[in-house]
Amino acid sequence: MLTIKNLHASVDDTPILKGIDLALEPGKVHAIMGPNGSGKSTLAGVLAGNPRYEVTDGSIEFLGHDLLDMSTEDRARAGLFLAFQYPVEIPGVNNAYLLKAALNAKRTYNGEPELDAFEFLSKIKASMKIMEMSEDFLKRDVNAGFSGGEKKRNEVLQMQMLEPKLAVLDETDSGLDIDALKVVAEGVNRLRDEERSFLVITHYQRLLDHIIPDHVHVLAGGRIVKSGTRELALELEARGYDWISSEAVAS
Amino acid sequence: MAKTQDDMQELVDRSYKHGFVTDIASETLPPGLDEDVIRTISAIKNEPEWLLEWRLKAYRRWLTMDAPDWAKLNIEPIDYQAISYYSAPKSESDKPQSLDEVDPKLLETYDKLGIPLHERARLAGVAVDAVFDSVSVATTFRGRLLDAGVIFCSFSEAVKDYPELVKKYLGTVVSRGDNYFAALNSAVFTDGSFVYIPEGVRCPMELSTYFRINAANTGQFERTLIVADKGSHVSYLEGCTAPMRDENQLHAAVVELVAMDDAQIKYSTVQNWYPGDENGVGGIYNFVTKRGDCRTQVETGSAITWKYPSCILRGDDSQGEFYSVAVTNNWQQADTGTKMIHIGKNTRSTIISKGISAGQAQNAYRGLVKIMPSASNARNYAQCDSLLLGDKCGAHTFPYIEAANPTAKIEHEATTSTIGEDQMFYCLQRGLSEEDAVSLIVNGFCKEVFKELPMEFAVEAQALLNVSLEGAVG
């Protein structure tokens, strides 16, 4: 699915990622945890092709393609989805319109016929039910005036519609109350199957109570300093990040 | 991988799609302007004596005036003697009575512009008075309109067939001496559209006119007069496109909208002039004076645009609304705005202006809101938003407020934003192409204005904007 080797990346000439190695198998959920500033969001941005980040070394292979060679939009169409930590507002642009354009861009790329308005509507209504979203979301502008929770639900709604092969969730739990968190997690869990992989980036363990990960990695100082199972997340919850950082320094 | 300013510039630099020239023999006056030229124009058009006199008075007034230089534009002095003031397709001498008789090359030109006259007219129920260079060549649906008592014809025809109406209203809203370009237009205007809606009549269809500049170096001086009698209602859209030319072309139009008591005119403009190439060579000089009631305006193109439509709110409780979209690209300069003049009590006005700048273009908005002492409880709301594409263009806003009545309430809001890299990245991450993403964001930015357009026209406006986005923005 995804193989990251020796990935180095910078923002404005400041190195952030300093040699990431990570492999995701199909159907697995990997969680990336780590203190603020450890490079979690940078990793998400590099995967999605955010032009802010410059890859200085290393390679990423995605479904047999050289990911770093692909444009941002082609990565998306090939099945890489990023749920944004801060979903962007686009005033005047209808939420459903953007989603339909996105879905059909992807279908065209993959040689599938475009969905007509009726097919699209029945598909999105089903997803909105799961996400407990009212139908006026369809008419509202993309994320404009949405509450934090509404924005995150909207991200997962888009993810359900676009059915990615790899979903990267960048701190999707931030700013959510416990009820919204459950809805969002349920939306993600419904998409879990043997083919689809997830990279769940989070600062807190609580999201992983609802989205149970297969693997947990700790990112600190731009490197993965520890990998383990779900138990590792619980341990981090109990002990904080400091011990890991010092352990990493010691080793 | 990186979506940099340079990539944006590359999208912006694509060439003007509508640049082509129709090869039709034209009957064109040699360049130059004096009283004889005006007499010739008037004679070609078989005008009555009073109209020639009216033109000559305007010309003499124009000679005493100075070209305005207060707009935030960089205009080389225009040599008015280097411009030809009349050009007509030759087939004008025996006027086509129906579309079948129209020179096929003209129809081909409209086809290239995506204006399939007959189809569009029939399907959408829109009567189109198509102006090619200076002469009207096709008017459709006139019969059906006449049944309702509505007169919709070219200005020249109105002078012949309805001289008393023209004489009564010509120059009543924009006087001959109103400003430099209005005076020039009054002297040399060649054709345009005339609409009259009788008392209490609701015009049964949307009216639309297309202006097109074709012959090189020809001044285009449209004159439009719309009269809505008491309690009547009409919706009118004007659209413009122009082919590619090396020399600047001059456009100085006057639009007069006369709305009697309780009448409503919804006037919309969609303009897509040739903006000049990436070095600023070529393009249309566009100087327009419009005055009347409610209107919506979408504007793209023109090397230099100088345009100030205005609303005079004379009656008590009358309302004026102005919505506009202006797109500038390459080295285009636009200086547009509106005047809202409140005279009556409880008058209300709304101004929503959207400016989009790309390339090295400069887009200025200037709005005057004037509350006269008689206008108790007048209210105005103005909103002026600018969107910048790339880092080499500019947007400027100049609100002027003159309130002479203490009960007036005036609000002005202005914003300037760029297409954010985060918005672009968000759209691209969802799989949209760069071009679609820009188009999506820009159309979203204009939505407040587009939603004011009549349904049939909203689609046209969006199409025109997209054409100019392909060439102008991405």
Side-chain angles (χ1 to χ4, degrees):
Chain A
M1 175 65 69
L2 184 79
T3 309
I4 302 173
K5 283 186 182 152
N6 191 33
L7 182 66
H8 288 69
S10 315
V11 179
D12 300 332
D13 296 327
T14 306
I16 306 289
L17 300 184
K18 299 165 183 168
I20 303 267
D21 290 286
L22 185 65
L24 267 66
E25 319 78 17
K28 298 293 182 195
V29 175
H30 287 243
I32 303 267
M33 300 185 70
N36 291 328
S38 58
K40 302 191 296 291
S41 285
T42 301
L43 178 60
V46 167
L47 289 174
N50 189 328
R52 275 192 67 205
Y53 304 109
E54 191 195 348
V55 174
T56 50
D57 200 4
S59 67
I60 307 175
E61 180 251 295
F62 174 57
L63 296 169
H65 303 286
D66 178 355
L67 188 78
L68 297 176
D69 224 26
M70 296 167 79
S71 67
T72 303
E73 58 270 32
D74 280 350
R75 296 180 196 196
R77 294 164 183 168
L80 190 153
F81 181 93
L82 172 63
F84 283 62
Q85 182 177 6
Y86 303 108
V88 178
E89 300 189 6
I90 312 179
V93 175
N94 181 277
N95 211 19
Y97 186 86
L98 171 72
L99 195 42
K100 184 160 181 263
L103 188 56
N104 282 332
K106 181 184 173 184
R107 291 179 69 94
T108 304
Y109 179 85
N110 291 307
E112 294 163 341
E114 293 195 355
L115 283 190
D116 64 32
F118 184 77
E119 292 166 324
F120 174 77
L121 211 61
S122 50
K123 190 173 163 72
I124 195 169
K125 283 189 175 172
S127 289
M128 287 172 65
K129 212 167 171 184
I130 294 167
M131 297 312 298
E132 298 180 13
M133 292 162 80
S134 72
E135 287 195 6
D136 59 79
F137 265 82
L138 291 175
K139 295 178 196 137
R140 289 168 69 179
D141 293 349
V142 177
N143 292 322
F146 284 25
S147 70
E150 285 175 329
K151 284 181 181 173
K152 295 298 174 70
R153 280 180 204 218
N154 201 29
E155 292 294 291
V156 178
L157 174 76
Q158 294 183 1
M159 189 167 87
Q160 289 195 348
M161 293 293 289
L162 293 169
E163 297 174 337
K165 298 196 168 70
L166 169 65
V168 180
L169 280 68
D170 188 7
E171 305 219 13
T172 297
D173 53 328
S174 67
L176 290 185
D177 61 34
I178 189 67
D179 292 330
L181 184 74
K182 279 182 183 161
V183 173
V184 164
E186 168 64 11
V188 172
N189 285 331
R190 275 175 173 261
L191 282 173
R192 288 181 74 163
D193 66 23
E194 286 167 13
E195 298 297 317
R196 187 169 289 128
S197 308
F198 292 83
L199 191 63
V200 179
I201 292 169
T202 181
H203 190 80
Y204 299 104
Q205 198 289 132
R206 64 168 191 169
L207 178 66
L208 305 179
D209 286 339
H210 302 279
I211 304 173
I212 312 290
D214 298 299
H215 302 276
V216 174
H217 311 275
V218 180
L219 195 60
R223 281 192 197 91
I224 290 177
V225 291
K226 200 169 179 69
S227 294
T229 61
R230 200 186 157 204
E231 310 310 317
L232 177 58
L234 295 170
E235 196 175 354
L236 286 169
E237 173 89 340
R239 297 176 61 186
Y241 284 111
D242 287 348
W243 66 276
I244 283 246
S245 305
S246 41
E247 197 173 84
V249 170
S251 68
Chain B
M1 157 185 152
K3 304 287 178 253
T4 62
Q5 292 294 357
D6 290 343
D7 292 335
M8 188 77 95
Q9 195 59 42
E10 192 187 307
L11 283 173
V12 160
D13 283 344
R14 278 184 212 165
S15 62
Y16 184 62
K17 244 199 168 176
H18 283 180
F20 49 80
V21 175
T22 309
D23 184 19
I24 295 173
S26 288
E27 184 186 316
T28 301
L29 285 183
L33 181 57
D34 56 26
E35 293 203 1
D36 283 343
V37 167
I38 293 166
R39 285 177 210 281
T40 309
I41 292 171
S42 190
I44 291 173
K45 303 178 73 61
N46 281 319
E47 285 176 356
E49 188 61 28
W50 67 263
L51 189 51
L52 173 61
E53 275 310 308
W54 197 85
R55 287 176 179 275
L56 289 172
K57 279 184 190 158
Y59 174 67
R60 288 167 200 149
R61 180 72 197 272
W62 179 71
L63 287 177
T64 68
M65 298 169 91
D66 293 322
D69 63 350
W70 55 281
K72 193 182 169 24
L73 302 180
N74 179 18
I75 307 180
E76 291 288 310
I78 296 170
D79 182 357
Y80 292 93
Q81 295 304 331
I83 292 167
S84 166
Y85 288 85
Y86 186 80
S87 165
K90 263 210 175 129
S91 52
E92 158 68 1
S93 33
D94 46 348
K95 254 198 171 171
Q97 300 305 305
S98 72
L99 278 176
D100 303 339
E101 295 174 34
V102 171
D103 190 330
K105 280 203 170 162
L106 287 191
L107 295 178
E108 208 182 294
T109 305
Y110 291 128
D111 271 354
K112 282 186 203 167
L113 283 170
I115 311 166
L117 265 185
H118 8 18
E119 263 189 281
R120 175 172 303 228
R122 216 183 314 123
L123 290 174
V126 175
V128 177
D129 180 356
V131 176
F132 187 88
D133 276 353
S134 312
V135 175
S136 236
V137 292
T139 303
T140 51
F141 280 109
R142 202 201 293 181
R144 263 187 69 190
L145 289 168
L146 267 178
D147 289 345
V150 173
I151 301 167
F152 178 37
C153 61
S154 73
F155 202 90
S156 324
E157 286 168 320
V159 169
K160 266 185 215 120
D161 299 341
Y162 311 99
E164 65 294 339
L165 282 176
V166 176
K167 198 172 177 180
K168 186 171 175 189
Y169 295 109
L170 180 67
T172 58
V173 183
V174 179
S175 72
R176 281 187 301 247
D178 185 89
N179 66 63
Y180 189 79
F181 296 105
L184 179 64
N185 174 285
S186 298
V188 301
F189 72 88
T190 40
D191 215 333
S193 295
F194 176 81
V195 178
Y196 175 78
I197 319 289
E199 187 172 341
V201 169
R202 196 176 178 91
C203 186
M205 56 185 87
E206 311 278 1
L207 305 178
S208 168
T209 303
Y210 287 91
F211 297 97
R212 185 157 166 76
I213 296 179
N214 196 58
N217 226 16
T218 308
Q220 179 92 352
F221 304 94
E222 251 74 40
R223 183 120 200 156
T224 295
L225 177 58
I226 299 177
V227 182
D229 216 323
K230 285 178 193 162
S232 66
H233 180 279
V234 61
S235 180
Y236 188 92
L237 175 115
E238 175 195 303
C240 303
T241 54
M244 188 179 289
R245 278 293 181 183
D246 271 337
E247 290 135 295
N248 288 295
Q249 296 161 293
L250 175 64
H251 182 259
V254 169
V255 176
E256 294 186 272
L257 309 177
V258 182
M260 316 278 199
D261 290 352
D262 298 320
Q264 196 188 350
I265 301 175
K266 181 154 187 168
Y267 178 89
S268 316
T269 324
V270 177
Q271 301 202 331
N272 183 31
W273 301 107
Y274 174 53
D277 65 16
E278 53 271 24
N279 301 315
V281 177
I284 310 281
Y285 283 164
N286 187 23
F287 301 95
V288 183
T289 305
K290 300 184 181 199
R291 193 157 302 154
D293 216 4
C294 321
R295 76 257 336 260
T296 311
Q297 175 173 316
V298 176
E299 169 141 2
T300 98
S302 292
I304 292 172
T305 293
W306 181 93
K307 181 182 250 186
Y308 303 97
S310 44
C311 287
I312 299 174
L313 304 171
R314 203 181 298 274
D316 291 348
D317 302 309
S318 59
Q319 296 190 15
E321 291 170 53
F322 175 82
Y323 299 91
S324 92
V325 173
V327 182
T328 49
N329 186 28
N330 293 335
W331 293 93
Q332 267 181 283
Q333 304 174 59
D335 195 306
T336 62
T338 187
K339 293 179 191 169
M340 286 287 178
I341 299 161
H342 292 249
I343 300 172
K345 294 187 180 71
N346 304 318
T347 45
R348 289 169 172 225
S349 64
T350 306
I351 300 168
I352 311 275
S353 167
K354 304 272 179 177
I356 300 157
S357 309
Q360 280 88 359
Q362 297 292 326
N363 208 334
Y365 169 83
R366 207 178 281 277
L368 169 68
V369 176
K370 192 169 187 172
I371 313 285
M372 307 296 277
S374 53
S376 306
N377 296 314
R379 293 185 69 171
N380 163 268
Y381 173 75
Q383 181 188 329
C384 180
D385 299 325
S386 306
L387 184 67
L388 305 178
L389 305 171
D391 55 3
K392 300 186 185 94
C393 50
H396 318 271
T397 304
F398 307 94
Y400 300 85
I401 294 170
E402 294 172 22
N405 185 307
T407 59
K409 276 188 189 164
I410 301 170
E411 290 173 70
H412 178 91
E413 285 179 22
T415 65
T416 300
S417 51
T418 54
I419 281 199
E421 284 186 2
D422 52 347
Q423 284 179 334
M424 281 300 285
F425 176 60
Y426 191 74
C427 291
L428 295 176
Q429 210 299 307
R430 293 305 180 246
L432 270 64
S433 68
E434 223 167 307
E435 203 161 38
D436 287 347
V438 173
S439 168
L440 189 85
I441 295 166
V442 172
N443 272 296
F445 175 74
C446 299
K447 190 162 119 184
E448 264 177 299
V449 173
F450 284 164
K451 74 174 201 272
E452 294 297 328
L453 288 170
M455 181 55 175
E456 293 89 332
F457 298 154
V459 179
E460 280 178 43
Q462 224 152 341
L464 257 180
L465 183 62
N466 278 340
V467 163
S468 112
L469 288 174
E470 276 170 32
V473 189

